[in-house]
Amino acid sequence: RRLFLSGIMYPVLTLGMKPDKKLQEHACTILRNLSQHPDNCRDLVGEDGRALKMLFHLSRHASDAGVQKLSVEAQLQLASCRDNQHYFGDAEVLEVFYHLAYADDLQLNRLAARAISTLSCNHSLKTQLLAAGMVDVLIRLCTSSDLEVQGLASKAIANLTQEQSPNARVPDDLSIRRESTGGSWDGGSSGA
């Protein structure tokens, strides 16, 4: 927290926008690490979203896949703070996750699935996710050979199809709860 309070943001953002791969990696890593402190998570974004804008830019335009991964990891950390999630409803930002889901890199697919799953828990982003074609992306991710990607994608679909209160969401463990179906597997009917 002391580093954040000491004014590290301007130099970090400046480094992140330089065309050097190592400087971009360091900037993303610093933002990811700083965002792990709960008090920093909201403050890092600030009122103008500069830190996220830099990360969004790098996840789209960085020529190195490693920089893209670090950028998305930092975005995920910042997206875990509900106060920051409204920044992720922009069509250009969602397009990044769309492209990552179709990449030939399992780590990028996992990051895309994790990002979409995290954002799908926010009821106010549901319309933007649907409009951006995320259901097609999630269906593709459900066909992945990777169980983690499948689980995250199916959780996101469940969240997107849920029409309950804005605070309702699918449990993290995706377990089937017998009590939610009235004690039977057929939705509570007695079968008669």
Side-chain angles (χ1 to χ4, degrees):
R1 179 82 175 143
R2 266 185 284 169
L3 281 173
F4 177 73
L5 294 174
S6 69
I8 197 170
M9 284 307 295
Y10 180 75
V12 169
L13 295 175
T14 303
L15 289 176
M17 296 311 286
K18 303 261 183 199
D20 182 78
K21 173 189 163 207
K22 280 292 181 197
L23 294 177
Q24 291 172 346
E25 284 178 358
H26 294 309
C28 291
T29 302
I30 291 167
L31 288 175
R32 184 193 61 203
N33 293 345
L34 286 174
S35 66
Q36 291 174 2
H37 190 286
D39 292 336
N40 290 348
C41 198
R42 186 178 339 100
D43 297 338
L44 274 169
V45 174
E47 292 179 15
D48 61 359
R50 281 183 297 168
L52 277 175
K53 288 175 186 174
M54 182 204 73
L55 293 170
F56 294 152
H57 174 79
L58 290 175
S59 60
R60 284 187 63 145
H61 302 292
S63 58
D64 181 72
V67 172
Q68 287 180 319
K69 290 174 191 172
L70 286 169
S71 172
V72 175
E73 287 173 3
Q75 290 174 48
L76 283 170
Q77 190 66 38
L78 291 169
S80 68
C81 178
R82 199 158 184 82
D83 292 339
N84 294 337
Q85 288 184 352
H86 68 278
Y87 289 104
F88 290 86
D90 183 80
E92 287 185 34
V93 173
L94 294 175
E95 187 180 330
V96 169
F97 302 130
Y98 183 93
H99 290 292
L100 295 177
Y102 284 93
D104 290 331
D105 184 319
L106 180 59
Q107 284 187 309
L108 291 176
N109 298 157
R110 285 179 179 159
L111 289 170
R114 189 172 302 120
I116 299 166
S117 180
T118 298
L119 297 174
S120 72
C121 294
N122 185 322
H123 187 72
S124 63
L125 292 176
K126 183 176 177 179
T127 303
Q128 290 98 319
L129 290 167
L130 294 172
M134 287 301 138
V135 172
D136 292 336
V137 172
L138 293 168
I139 290 169
R140 183 210 180 275
L141 292 172
C142 281
T143 64
S144 170
S145 60
D146 185 69
L147 292 177
E148 181 182 350
V149 171
Q150 289 176 9
L152 290 164
S154 62
K155 178 182 174 186
I157 291 172
N159 286 336
L160 290 173
T161 58
Q162 192 170 35
E163 289 197 36
Q164 296 176 352
S165 71
N167 297 328
R169 58 180 277 228
V170 173
D172 287 334
D173 61 358
L174 292 175
S175 62
I176 298 172
R177 302 191 190 283
R178 284 185 58 133
E179 63 271 12
S180 69
T181 61
S184 71
W185 297 111
D186 60 359
S189 66
S190 64

